[in-house]
Amino acid sequence: AVVSTQSGHYGRDIIPVQNGNSAGLEELRRANGGGRGASDEPLKSSDLCNINISGKEYITTFRCLNKYPETLLGSSEREQYYIPEMKAYFFNRNRDCFESILTFYQTGKEFRPLSVDEDVYEEERKFFRIDEGSTDVSLEIGDHETSDLFNGGWRLTRRRIHAFLMDPRSSKFATGWHIMDIVFICTSITLLILETDPNMAECFTDTSHPAHFYLYYLNAFVIAFFTTDLLVRFCTWPGLIGFWKNLFNILDILSILPFYVSVIADVMNNSDDPNAQHEHKSYVVLRVCRIFRIVRVFKFIRHSQDLIMIIKVVGHAKKELGLLVLLLFIFSVSFGSLMYYIEHQTNDQFTSIMQGCWWAIVTITTIGYGDVVPHTWLGKIVGSVVLTLGIVFLALPMTIIVGKFSTVYEKEKEKKDVS
């Protein structure tokens, strides 16, 4: 077997080795700092490899890339992409996909982000020849979560089912499924609203009403669809612990829970052992659980990347929002207490400091319901001061929040456009 060498731009040798050539493998390890104790050797500038992907720079080591000589970055063919002026290897490729490809060189495993279409990702893998360099690769979906579910013969099938449920861009059938999910969400919310209408309430509560049968089973069919979607997602989720950490999964559970609780309560109330106290307790539990049906509105967020992006932006601005809440708390308690001691003797509207705080919040936020107003001249002066200070001091943190929001939103939007 012949081992050929080619001098690299950073003084490292790139040695393509034929299969079964143990001598060549040893020479490859020595040339790239491999072998035992290699990780203890201090890195030099010549050991680093700069890779520019569509303007974004990544820095890794030649030692890391040369572990897979069959791939593009691990072979001498990468030299044709080297630009001396940039002192980097330039590739006009997808950034999000390359982060997964670089993870493969570092760990031997790769993942496909949910924001990247499967066809796009496969095209990037073929360009960098990852298929040729990977032998025992565990393909993961999501944010670097490992999963026991994806090991074994059903790994690829479960991965595709998970992408089908979570990514409407994965296939035309996935798009249809997500559209159907949105239709069922709208239907569920419509039934929830109509149930509280005085003219329609009888259709939901009176079992003898002609429309009761159709409305009940329509709601049951919608809940069955949500339950099936949730169970399949649970079985294919990459990591059971990650499933329970996902907020949307918890909201989905809470949205269908009231229906099953109501069914259990109806069965218990219709039992042969009538007990008024037991029926009263079931009624209380049922009313509490029905409150969770409001959560169904938040199921729309899962289908809107823009709404998810806004939630992420709000998470990044939590310090600024905390500052706004703190200022509002300080002002409401201070001026609410002051207004109480000024007005409580002559004005029966200020019965406590809590009532004063309510007036202060309504005044500071410039809402002004008019349900609680000062009567004394001193109270009106304090009210004018509170109104003026509220406008000034709330405007300051709002400016910071808007600036932070715009900056983070543009970054998230840029990531989405690149993917």
Side-chain angles (χ1 to χ4, degrees):
V2 178
V3 180
S4 60
T5 62
Q6 179 177 353
S7 178
H9 290 280
Y10 290 92
R12 310 300 295 175
D13 290 333
I14 303 164
I15 306 175
V17 182
Q18 299 179 0
N19 293 334
N21 188 356
S22 58
L25 288 175
E26 289 297 326
E27 186 176 353
L28 177 64
R29 294 191 185 99
R30 290 194 301 270
N32 295 283
R36 292 187 179 181
S39 59
D40 298 332
E41 298 178 2
L43 288 176
K44 303 177 183 178
S45 59
S46 59
D47 297 323
L48 301 180
C49 175
N50 296 331
I51 303 175
N52 191 302
I53 305 296
S54 300
K56 187 174 182 180
E57 192 171 78
Y58 298 85
I59 301 178
T60 184
T61 63
F62 286 96
R63 183 187 309 164
C64 178
L65 300 178
N66 293 337
K67 290 189 299 184
Y68 301 95
E70 297 87 356
T71 62
L72 175 61
L73 295 179
S75 67
S76 59
E77 295 183 24
R78 67 187 174 204
E79 301 301 325
Q80 60 183 311
Y81 298 95
Y82 182 79
I83 301 179
E85 292 80 5
M86 299 177 60
K87 295 183 179 180
Y89 297 89
F90 178 79
F91 298 90
N92 188 22
R93 311 299 300 186
N94 188 287
R95 296 179 183 177
D96 290 343
C97 290
F98 184 77
E99 292 183 2
S100 171
I101 292 171
L102 185 58
T103 302
F104 163 74
Y105 283 99
Q106 295 169 340
T107 64
K109 296 182 179 181
E110 56 179 319
F111 68 97
R112 178 179 68 84
L114 289 176
S115 58
V116 179
D117 187 76
E118 187 172 359
D119 295 335
V120 175
Y121 183 71
E122 290 299 326
E123 182 179 350
E124 295 297 309
R125 294 180 77 247
K126 290 180 181 178
F127 175 81
F128 288 101
R129 300 209 302 269
I130 298 300
D131 288 329
E132 301 177 18
S134 59
T135 55
D136 185 17
V137 177
S138 175
L139 187 62
E140 304 167 8
I141 296 180
D143 297 330
H144 305 268
E145 282 190 3
T146 57
S147 171
D148 293 334
L149 289 177
F150 290 158
N151 294 329
W154 292 99
R155 176 179 60 83
L156 182 60
T157 302
R158 287 168 175 170
R159 178 173 64 86
R160 290 178 176 176
I161 295 175
H162 183 78
F164 174 83
L165 296 175
M166 300 299 297
D167 188 4
R169 299 172 297 178
S170 60
S171 65
K172 294 182 179 180
F173 292 103
T175 303
W177 179 270
H178 282 257
I179 293 176
M180 188 164 54
D181 189 26
I182 294 175
V183 172
F184 280 123
I185 293 174
C186 295
T187 303
S188 176
I189 295 174
T190 302
L191 293 175
L192 175 64
I193 296 174
L194 293 177
E195 187 176 348
T196 60
D197 187 277
N199 299 324
M200 294 289 297
E202 186 179 357
C203 300
F204 292 90
T205 57
D206 188 4
T207 56
S208 61
H209 196 279
H212 176 79
F213 175 83
Y214 299 100
L215 292 175
Y216 179 83
Y217 281 98
L218 175 61
N219 185 38
F221 182 75
V222 171
I223 296 299
F225 176 84
F226 291 156
T227 305
T228 303
D229 179 82
L230 181 64
L231 291 177
V232 176
R233 205 180 323 133
F234 174 79
C235 295
T236 59
W237 196 269
L240 298 181
I241 298 178
F243 176 86
W244 296 104
K245 289 182 178 180
N246 188 283
L247 178 61
F248 294 119
N249 294 333
I250 302 301
L251 294 178
D252 289 344
I253 294 175
L254 293 178
S255 65
I256 65 175
L257 183 63
F259 176 80
Y260 294 105
V261 173
S262 63
V263 171
I264 295 174
D266 291 340
V267 172
M268 296 176 65
N269 292 334
N270 295 331
S271 59
D272 298 334
D273 185 17
N275 190 329
Q277 184 178 3
H278 172 73
E279 184 176 353
H280 175 71
K281 291 181 179 180
S282 300
Y283 179 74
V284 172
V285 173
L286 182 60
R287 291 196 61 181
V288 173
C289 290
R290 282 181 174 177
I291 298 176
F292 291 114
R293 293 187 298 177
I294 306 173
V295 176
R296 296 176 187 176
V297 179
F298 297 100
K299 290 174 69 69
F300 280 114
I301 300 178
R302 185 191 295 275
H303 300 282
S304 176
Q305 294 296 326
D306 292 330
L307 288 177
I308 296 176
M309 187 186 306
I310 291 176
I311 293 176
K312 290 181 179 179
V313 171
V314 172
H316 285 291
K318 54 182 177 294
K319 292 183 179 179
E320 290 77 9
L321 292 174
L323 175 62
L324 179 63
V325 173
L326 180 61
L327 285 177
L328 183 61
F329 175 77
I330 293 174
F331 275 102
S332 61
V333 173
S334 301
F335 290 105
S337 302
L338 180 60
M339 187 61 72
Y340 166 74
Y341 288 113
I342 293 175
E343 293 283 328
H344 80 282
Q345 292 182 351
T346 58
N347 190 346
D348 56 359
Q349 293 179 339
F350 290 88
T351 58
S352 64
I353 293 180
M354 291 289 295
Q355 194 70 27
C357 292
W358 165 252
W359 168 87
I361 293 175
V362 172
T363 305
I364 291 173
T365 55
T366 67
I367 296 176
Y369 287 123
D371 55 340
V372 181
V373 295
H375 291 169
T376 64
W377 63 270
L378 182 59
K380 293 178 181 179
I381 293 176
V382 173
S384 301
V385 173
V386 171
L387 179 60
T388 306
L389 292 178
I391 296 175
V392 174
F393 283 95
L394 287 182
L396 295 177
M398 283 302 298
T399 304
I400 300 175
I401 292 173
V402 172
K404 179 76 172 182
F405 184 90
S406 301
T407 303
V408 178
Y409 183 82
E410 289 299 328
K411 290 182 180 179
E412 293 291 336
K413 188 176 181 181
E414 181 181 356
K415 291 181 181 179
K416 179 182 177 183
D417 293 339
V418 171
S419 63

